[in-house]
Amino acid sequence: MQIDIKLKQNSYKVFINELEKLNFDTKVVLLSNARILNLHLKTLKNKIKCKELFIISIEEGEEYKNLQTVEKILNQMFAHHIDRKSILISFGGGVISDIGGFVASIYQRGISFINIPTTLLACVDASVGGKTGVNNQFGKNLIGSFYQPKAVYCQSEFLKTLNDKELSSAMAEVIKMALSFDIRFFKFIQNIDKKLFLSRDDELLSNIIQKSVEIKAKIVSKDEKENHLRMILNYGHTFAHVIENQTFYKKYLHAEAVSIGIHMANILAYHLNLLQKTQIQEINQTLQKFDLPIFYKIPNINAFYQNFFLDKKTKQEKINFILLKKIGKAIIKDDIDKNTILKSLESFT
Amino acid sequence: MQIDIKLKQNSYKVFINELEKLNFDTKVVLLSNARILNLHLKTLKNKIKCKELFIISIEEGEEYKNLQTVEKILNQMFAHHIDRKSILISFGGGVISDIGGFVASIYQRGISFINIPTTLLACVDASVGGKTGVNNQFGKNLIGSFYQPKAVYCQSEFLKTLNDKELSSAMAEVIKMALSFDIRFFKFIQNIDKKLFLSRDDELLSNIIQKSVEIKAKIVSKDEKENHLRMILNYGHTFAHVIENQTFYKKYLHAEAVSIGIHMANILAYHLNLLQKTQIQEINQTLQKFDLPIFYKIPNINAFYQNFFLDKKTKQEKINFILLKKIGKAIIKDDIDKNTILKSLESFT
């Protein structure tokens, strides 16, 4: 299965379960971490033919997604005489693809890179869209670039070794996309048989990936640099970022925070008479089917509100809230008054 | 005077002596160094109207053009809540415009930037073309991006405070462009009255800048990412980089090394029956008119030859030499045999 990501420049394809053999007449840098290499290097190596395979393994975890790691990777690449014709392959989850894309974008002013995601979350989210970057002490993904891969290969075989939580939590981003853009896809998700899902059924996983990538492809094609439409992909994220910040990125997986954020956004939408309680319940049932949390106890509503302004997607004094008008249709609102927001947050105390 | 830099995306203009008033409804980050701010901040400030002007002054010199400085600048910008709508102005020579462009390209995945060069060299070279970047222990400009400014403003008023050497040496890059692409421009340079040049005559300086930028604009428009044609702009540089490397970037200004490199390339072209001695003499006279050096004593020819391979523009085992076929016409050769190169280098022992 192939999905075209059409852009003004540098269009590319996402291949789902089509990775048979990759041939390069150049050196290839494989960026990954020890755990993934232990699990999947052998499988991947059988699929890659190149002049020389240079493996760089970085520490696992969001806390290593920073400029220091970037510099270490760059130094290893220079020491190994990686040239401008070489290819970088990001082989891992979102952290690997975010760092790998960024490194590729600045190594000798840009070399080609390919994403081979090994998590469901990276398949449906991080590996498509060209956002690359790292964190610093001021926040997440604050340093980076828009840089497109040459290709993305999603292979359900690599998803078999994910634990249930890693697999299920990714559904928060999938549900986010369905809720924002496609009611039929949401109905499809509602009808997913959980046992089949947890059995890592190839066909089901590739359907989920396909539909999510198709939605994201459409958005990114229309708004590569996140001027407007693409902001809708932040549905749930405005809240999630605050939750992650307040819990020091330790208590929740990103997708779990997004799940709670979706519910928070929905409660706000309810206070603005956009959504009805029954719709919110329907959404929550779907989130909870995949064992996703929907509640976070806010310690201090005012502090939570102030934290919105730390978010980089927030320009100046305006906060963009992405809210559902109905299931399958999200809108952007930047004029909600503070009291309404505070009132809606009260449900989480 | 305005020159269009036409690109597939992100075309922009170079304005020569047209900076009257810049109005921004955003914050502006002004990146510069103490010396330039002392000389010209007052003049520039009178021309800029914005929401808030945030000045970042970095240490002067090529040795500070590295990732550490980039990180310091980024941190100051985050601490000062510079947002995605803000504009960065690089105000200085090549180091400032290279770092400034790079910082702009990775700050929150890219903000707008403007170049206001304060050296003749930066006017004719560094500020146009979208190459940004910093050095590391492996070499020059090895980390960076292709990122276009929104506009470039060359003002001859800022060039008045350059010393004679800074002013004259820039002519190496100007002569390089004339020799590679435009014999009429070379004749124009031959006829420049040196006294008038050293008097920093506004009309003469703006003519030199205009013609150089026009040539570079044409090249960059056709080959933004340096696939082929743009390589010709490296005429003299293959040698210059080795000279700079061997003298630890201390003995020669970059443009001076380029001047010697031009002569070295010409001697190689002579050994390949491309150029004649009389042409080389004519070129040398022009370089020397601007007090540019043409000779560097190579300590060890073999070591010099090996150093070609350290250059990042060198892919794999092939070295691209840019040579003149005649004055006004350069070609790229990657198949010169080693003995011919070594023999031509003997003139420099």
Side-chain angles (χ1 to χ4, degrees), chain A residues 8-10 25-27 51 67-68 70-71 74-76 78-81 83-86 98 102 105-110 130-133 136-138 141-146 224-227 309-310 312-316, chain B residues 8-10 25-27 51 67-68 70-71 74-76 78-81 83-86 98 102 105-110 130-133 136-138 141-146 224-227 309-310 312-316:
Chain A
K8 276 186 211 136
Q9 286 188 311
N10 308 316
D25 59 354
T26 60
K27 289 183 184 182
K51 235 171 146 175
L67 272 188
Q68 286 65 50
V70 167
E71 197 170 1
L74 290 169
N75 286 341
Q76 285 188 61
F78 284 113
H80 205 73
H81 300 289
D83 62 37
R84 290 170 74 179
K85 294 269 179 211
S86 303
D98 283 1
F102 184 50
S105 78
I106 64 171
Y107 187 82
Q108 298 204 10
R109 298 202 184 96
K131 281 190 179 182
T132 81
N136 67 4
Q137 74 258 42
F138 297 93
N141 299 317
L142 289 180
I143 301 168
S145 56
F146 285 98
E224 191 178 340
K225 299 282 172 70
E226 193 167 20
N227 292 311
F309 296 94
L310 296 177
K312 77 175 163 122
K313 276 128 197 158
T314 306
K315 283 167 200 160
Q316 320 275 10
Chain B
K8 276 185 210 136
Q9 283 188 314
N10 308 315
D25 59 353
T26 59
K27 289 185 186 182
K51 236 174 146 173
L67 272 186
Q68 287 64 50
V70 167
E71 196 169 3
L74 290 168
N75 285 342
Q76 285 189 60
F78 284 113
H80 205 76
H81 300 289
D83 62 38
R84 288 170 75 179
K85 292 267 181 215
S86 303
D98 284 1
F102 184 50
S105 77
I106 64 172
Y107 188 83
Q108 297 203 13
R109 300 203 184 94
K131 281 190 180 182
T132 80
N136 68 4
Q137 74 259 42
F138 297 94
N141 298 318
L142 289 180
I143 302 167
S145 56
F146 285 97
E224 191 178 339
K225 299 281 172 71
E226 194 169 20
N227 292 312
F309 297 95
L310 297 177
K312 77 174 162 123
K313 276 128 196 158
T314 305
K315 282 167 199 159
Q316 320 276 8

Side-chain angles (χ1 to χ4, degrees), chain A residues 255-312:
Chain A
E256 290 177 325
V258 169
S259 175
I260 301 169
I262 287 173
H263 184 47
M264 286 183 168
N266 291 350
I267 294 291
L268 180 56
Y270 168 78
H271 280 269
L272 293 163
N273 295 318
L274 293 165
L275 274 189
Q276 288 163 0
K277 284 239 160 152
T278 51
Q279 294 171 301
I280 295 178
Q281 268 164 4
E282 208 183 327
I283 294 167
N284 285 347
Q285 275 162 14
T286 309
L287 291 168
Q288 289 175 314
K289 178 163 84 171
F290 296 98
D291 300 310
L292 286 160
I294 54 166
F295 187 78
Y296 163 71
K297 191 167 163 45
I298 298 177
N300 177 320
I301 289 183
N302 268 299
F304 195 95
Y305 180 83
Q306 287 310 320
N307 269 0
F308 286 133
F309 296 94
L310 296 177
D311 194 281
K312 77 175 163 122

Side-chain angles (χ1 to χ4, degrees), chain B residues 231-248:
Chain B
M231 270 190 210
I232 291 180
L233 295 174
N234 289 326
Y235 172 46
H237 285 65
T238 313
F239 298 92
H241 289 162
V242 178
I243 296 169
E244 288 182 289
N245 191 280
Q246 293 196 338
T247 54
F248 306 102

